Structures are given as structure tokens and as C-alpha cells.
Amino acid sequence: MSTNVGKGTRAVRAGQLVAGARKRFPNGGQTLTLGGGATTVTVDAVCADLQKIIDNRAATTAAQATARDTVKAERAQAPALVQTMDEFEETVRFMFGADTKALADFGLKPPRARQPLTSAEKAEAAAKRKATREAHGTTATTAASAPAPAPAAAPGSAQINQPKG
């Protein structure tokens, strides 16, 4: 009569009730009155209903174990399969480019055109570039492409290797 019982516990209790009913009511056709006289059933009918609880719990447990194994297998295979899918999509996009009908056959959307920057966004980007150059100590983009001076050799470090003969 408890109300807060787990499903596994309920199945165990149903099994115990079936065992007790088979032991104490050997005549399965015996009629019992349940629910304060609201229902009349045979012992066999009650045992059959209780057995359904047990069978349902066993089937659910088995299905959960199978589902766990299936999910584990899916997770193990997913990275390689997703990589293949991504590479295939990349190939399809390369082959068909912006052909919307061909891409639609594969369930793909054509690439979107790049939005041009607004004047405010351009000004913000220029300010960020300037701040980065100042933070890194570079003066302009042309200064970065100028050849760096060759390192000076330390005095006495230049030795000529002559073969011994």
C-alpha cells in the first residue's frame, strides 16, 4: 500500500505476492474480493496481473540495457562517420559551388554572400588595428615586411673548419 515505491521494488514486491498467493491459495480458481468489495477476481487473475508487472519491469530493464549498448556503439562510431559526412559535404560544395538546385538536392543551402562592413564597423576595425600595432610595437604594415638586420657575429667566434690532412 505504499505510494512512493520504485519500479524495481514494485516488481520484487509483485513477485513476493505471487509466491505467497501460490502457497496460501493453492486453488487458483478461488474468488477474492478486492477494494472493499468493489471488485471480485480469482487468485489466478490477480497472479496474472502481478506477473505482468514483473514481466514489464524485466522487459524495460532489458530494453534499457540494449539502448545503452546501442548508444555506446553510436558514440564510438560517430566521430569517424561525422568526419566522412563533413568531408563529403565539403566535396559537394566544391563541385557544385553556388548552384542552388544541385545543393538543394543534397539538402544544403548555398553559401551566403558576405555582408559589406558599414562605415562604423570599418572605423572600429581600423581603431583595433591601430591599438594592436601600438601594443605590439609595430609602426605600419610595411615595417613588418622590411628585412630584419642580420645578427652581428661575436668577435672571435668565426672559425673556419679546415680538413685535417
Side-chain angles (χ1 to χ4, degrees), residues 34-46:
L34 306 178
T39 308
T40 304
V41 293
T42 64
V43 173
D44 286 340
V46 170

Side-chain angles (χ1 to χ4, degrees), residues 117-133:
L117 296 176
T118 64
S119 59
E121 291 170 332
K122 287 179 184 179
E124 182 181 345
K128 283 183 180 180
R129 282 193 301 274
K130 182 178 180 184
T132 301
R133 286 191 187 122

Side-chain angles (χ1 to χ4, degrees), residues 130-142:
K130 182 178 180 184
T132 301
R133 286 191 187 122
E134 289 175 2
H136 292 184
T138 56
T139 55
T141 56
T142 55

Side-chain angles (χ1 to χ4, degrees), residues 70-86:
T70 304
V71 168
K72 187 177 179 181
E74 178 188 24
R75 286 182 180 158
Q77 295 173 2
L81 296 173
V82 169
Q83 181 180 355
T84 301
M85 180 177 66
D86 290 345

Side-chain angles (χ1 to χ4, degrees), residues 11-24:
V12 170
R13 199 173 88 215
Q16 292 169 341
L17 287 170
V18 169
R22 295 290 177 213
K23 181 177 181 181
R24 298 295 176 173

